[in-house]
């Protein structure tokens, strides 16, 4: 299943070798109320996918890219707060410097968003969304499998220029 991916074409993705996450207490971390277990599940899936692609975890102050994520729920304010935290500019998508693999890029409830943030500008340079399709009857293993599949699907579309 192809998911929506958009990215800033003027960012040199070929130079990225290391990644990190924002720490607890950051504007990103505080932009959405997620249980620690859910955060850990998403971050472990991201680490596993990026490590498999040859990227390496680094301390925040020396990382080439910062990985953030957002689980789209019914609270639109959380999504707006998240966009502010990663300086994502929806109107900028119309600019020539943004590449889209899907012209109908949109946000929907139940989607997992992953952003890659330029640590120098503190701005998102790559974004993807994928439907998690959680069901009420899903157990924790099924939930983790859905997160891992979504993360792999998104991050394997990293633009390697």
């Amino acid at each position: 299943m192809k998911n929506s991916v958009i990215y800033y074409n003027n960012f040199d993705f070929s130079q990225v070798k290391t990644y990190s996450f924002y720490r607890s207490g950051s504007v990103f971390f505080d932009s959405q109320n997620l249980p620690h277990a859910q955060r850990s599940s998403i971050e472990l899936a991201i680490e596993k996918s990026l490590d498999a692609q040859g990227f390496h975890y680094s301390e925040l102050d020396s990382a080439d890219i910062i990985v953030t994520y957002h689980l789209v729920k019914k609270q639109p304010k959380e999504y707006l707060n998240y966009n502010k935290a990663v300086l994502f500019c929806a109107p900028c998508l119309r600019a020539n410097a943004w590449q889209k693999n899907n012209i109908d890029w949109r946000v929907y409830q139940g989607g997992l968003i992953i952003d890659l943030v330029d640590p120098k500008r503190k701005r998102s340079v790559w974004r993807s969304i994928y439907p998690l399709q959680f069901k009420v009857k899903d157990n924790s293993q099924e939930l983790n499998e859905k997160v891992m599949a979504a993360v792999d699907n998104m991050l394997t579309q990293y633009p390697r220029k």
Side-chain angles (χ1 to χ4, degrees):
M1 178 176 181
K2 275 293 235 190
N3 57 296
S4 297
V5 175
I6 53 178
Y7 60 93
Y8 186 59
N9 199 37
N10 291 338
F11 183 80
D12 189 359
F13 291 95
S14 67
Q15 296 300 311
V16 175
K17 308 286 185 245
T18 60
Y19 69 92
S20 193
F21 298 98
Y22 284 120
R23 294 182 184 96
S24 176
S26 68
V27 176
F28 152 71
F29 200 90
D30 293 339
S31 70
Q32 183 173 34
N33 186 18
L34 287 178
H36 286 290
Q38 197 164 32
R39 285 188 187 278
S40 294
S41 171
I42 294 169
E43 289 183 13
L44 285 172
I46 290 169
E47 285 183 35
K48 184 176 180 180
S49 182
L50 289 176
D51 290 349
Q53 293 182 57
F55 295 100
H56 302 285
Y57 181 82
S58 174
E59 291 298 321
L60 185 62
D61 58 351
S62 61
D64 298 325
I65 206 85
I66 302 165
V67 184
T68 64
Y69 51 87
H70 180 80
L71 186 56
V72 182
K73 298 179 181 179
K74 292 181 182 178
Q75 298 89 352
K77 187 172 182 174
E78 283 190 350
Y79 177 66
L80 294 173
N81 289 341
Y82 173 72
N83 279 343
K84 286 179 187 174
V86 299
L87 298 177
F88 181 77
C89 173
C92 297
L93 297 179
R94 294 183 202 98
N96 291 335
W98 279 89
Q99 299 294 317
K100 298 187 280 184
N101 77 341
N102 183 339
I103 293 176
D104 187 27
W105 201 95
R106 60 188 171 89
V107 176
Y108 45 82
Q109 188 175 334
L112 175 64
I113 295 173
I114 295 180
D115 277 282
L116 301 179
V117 175
D118 177 353
K120 292 179 181 126
R121 294 187 173 165
K122 309 278 192 257
R123 175 177 294 269
S124 174
V125 292
W126 182 95
R127 176 174 277 197
S128 184
I129 186 167
Y130 193 90
L132 290 177
Q133 300 174 340
F134 287 157
K135 294 182 175 77
V136 175
K137 64 179 178 76
D138 287 346
N139 61 38
S140 60
Q141 180 179 350
E142 291 167 322
L143 296 174
N144 282 335
E145 287 171 359
K146 288 180 180 183
V147 167
M148 288 175 29
V151 167
D152 275 344
N153 190 295
M154 289 188 275
L155 292 176
T156 56
Q157 295 181 62
Y158 180 87
R160 300 198 182 265
K161 294 183 187 179

